[in-house]
Amino acid sequence: MKPRPKDVIKQAACAFDAELHTRAYSTTHADSAQLDRLLSFLPTKDNQVLLDLATGAGYVAMELAHRYPQASVVGLDIAEGAIAKNIELAEQMKLRNIRFSVFDGITLPFEADRFSAVFCRYGLHHFPLLHTTLAEIDRTLQKTGKVIIADAVKSGRDDSDFINKFQHLKRDGHVRMYTKGELVRIFKRYGLLLEEVFESSLTFTRASTDEYEQLISTTCTPALAAYDLSTANGFIQLTLPIFNGVFVRQSA
Ligand SMILES: C[S@@+](CC[C@H](N)C(=O)[O-])C[C@H]1O[C@@H](n2cnc3c(N)ncnc32)[C@H](O)[C@@H]1O
């Protein structure tokens, strides 16, 4: 049975609160070259109002606030503890143009046409109601606004949906990784067209368990090779392909 959206969100909030502000998380997830390229998608305009959706430990939001003192930045997430820590850190860093908020994981608590750009890095695959989230992004985005996305995608060589089965075993509110083509088509339904794209990758290790071993042993080699999967000393290492793209409104 498909889990209820609110249970998925609760599981994600709990798992990420324990992980986001750890050294292990930042070592695996930081990528300054990718961050630079994502931020370069932003038009240079004064007085921008920017949303970092699924901000986590504020990796994108803090950098936006730091680089663009004239902009007003909002970091939104479901993980209350991480958001409280972000508020503390932003105060220590004397970032006056940023605020962080917690929300229900579905409805963006903002009026229509608020944001000049919405960023979402590594969050899409956790949204239990992706279509509602995209409708919410569309509602809160200004007419000429941009949506700047980075997310892990399923490889076209992964016929057995290995990566989604693998990620579900972590029980951190994983919902679904799409292929790049699927993502572009879903965004198009909301009038959001891909303007520019680049690829990056994210490599991580995870302690193995019987469940992981069983899954790996029953998955065909090309699917495992698509993620450069290797195992050694009780750990599994794999590399996720990352889709980075900027979308603009069809009517813009
Ligand atoms: C892999 S982390 C990415 C965090 C950050 N954007 C980064 O680049 O490091 C995924 C984030 O998505 C958040 N998340 C999960 N489900 C969410 C939802 N329904 N709405 C908003 N954020 C959600 C988690 O709390 C977590 O902070």
Side-chain angles (χ1 to χ4, degrees):
M1 207 176 63
K2 215 173 152 198
R4 292 181 307 170
K6 72 174 196 184
D7 293 333
V8 175
I9 291 167
K10 202 167 156 190
Q11 188 183 61
C14 186
F16 278 103
D17 253 342
E19 195 182 348
L20 284 164
H21 279 284
T22 62
R23 185 183 293 270
Y25 179 87
S26 64
T27 308
T28 313
H29 289 74
D31 182 342
S32 58
Q34 179 213 27
L35 185 60
D36 277 345
R37 289 188 76 178
L38 287 173
L39 266 53
S40 75
F41 285 146
L42 198 61
T44 41
K45 278 197 299 196
D46 282 343
N47 305 320
Q48 303 214 59
V49 185
L50 308 171
L51 174 63
D52 180 25
L53 178 59
T55 189
Y59 186 66
V60 172
M62 302 265 198
E63 190 60 25
L64 284 169
H66 176 70
R67 282 199 205 180
Y68 306 108
Q70 302 305 322
S72 166
V73 181
V74 182
L76 195 66
D77 205 284
I78 55 168
E80 278 183 45
I83 289 291
K85 179 85 182 154
N86 293 351
I87 293 170
E88 227 178 273
L89 289 173
E91 267 168 31
Q92 283 167 21
M93 292 160 76
K94 303 200 183 325
L95 290 172
R96 307 276 179 238
N97 57 338
I98 192 165
R99 79 180 172 82
F100 287 100
S101 296
V102 181
F103 80 127
D104 66 6
I106 294 170
T107 309
L108 301 186
F110 308 108
E111 73 277 17
D113 301 329
R114 166 89 181 262
F115 298 106
S116 21
V118 175
F119 285 81
C120 186
R121 179 178 181 263
Y122 303 163
L124 283 186
H125 61 276
H126 285 290
F127 296 145
L129 299 175
L130 179 60
H131 288 269
T132 308
T133 302
L134 288 178
E136 282 291 277
I137 290 176
D138 186 48
R139 180 183 67 77
T140 54
L141 191 68
Q142 295 169 5
K143 297 223 164 4
T144 55
K146 302 205 173 216
V147 182
I148 298 166
I149 295 294
D151 209 37
V153 284
K154 177 174 144 174
S155 163
R157 288 187 282 155
D158 183 0
D159 292 338
S160 60
D161 203 26
F162 164 76
I163 200 61
N164 283 307
K165 292 176 189 161
F166 184 89
Q167 293 297 73
H168 275 299
L169 292 178
K170 192 175 174 205
R171 296 178 178 86
D172 67 349
H174 175 80
V175 176
R176 181 169 168 193
M177 282 171 188
Y178 294 86
T179 64
K180 179 186 157 188
E182 284 171 332
L183 271 187
V184 172
R185 280 193 293 279
I186 294 171
F187 273 70
K188 200 171 171 191
R189 278 193 233 161
Y190 293 86
L192 294 165
L193 298 187
L194 185 62
E195 191 179 56
E196 230 183 300
V197 65
F198 70 92
E199 284 170 21
S200 59
S201 63
L202 189 155
T203 299
F204 65 89
T205 51
R206 191 171 295 168
S208 193
T209 64
D210 291 348
E211 283 179 310
Y212 286 113
E213 278 170 28
Q214 164 77 10
L215 173 63
I216 291 168
S217 69
T218 54
T219 302
C220 61
T221 312
L224 302 179
Y227 304 103
D228 282 338
L229 186 138
S230 60
T231 53
N233 307 321
F235 285 89
I236 307 160
Q237 178 170 297
L238 50 81
T239 298
L240 296 173
I242 304 292
F243 165 84
N244 300 274
V246 55
F247 292 84
V248 289
R249 276 257 177 76
Q250 197 158 19
S251 54

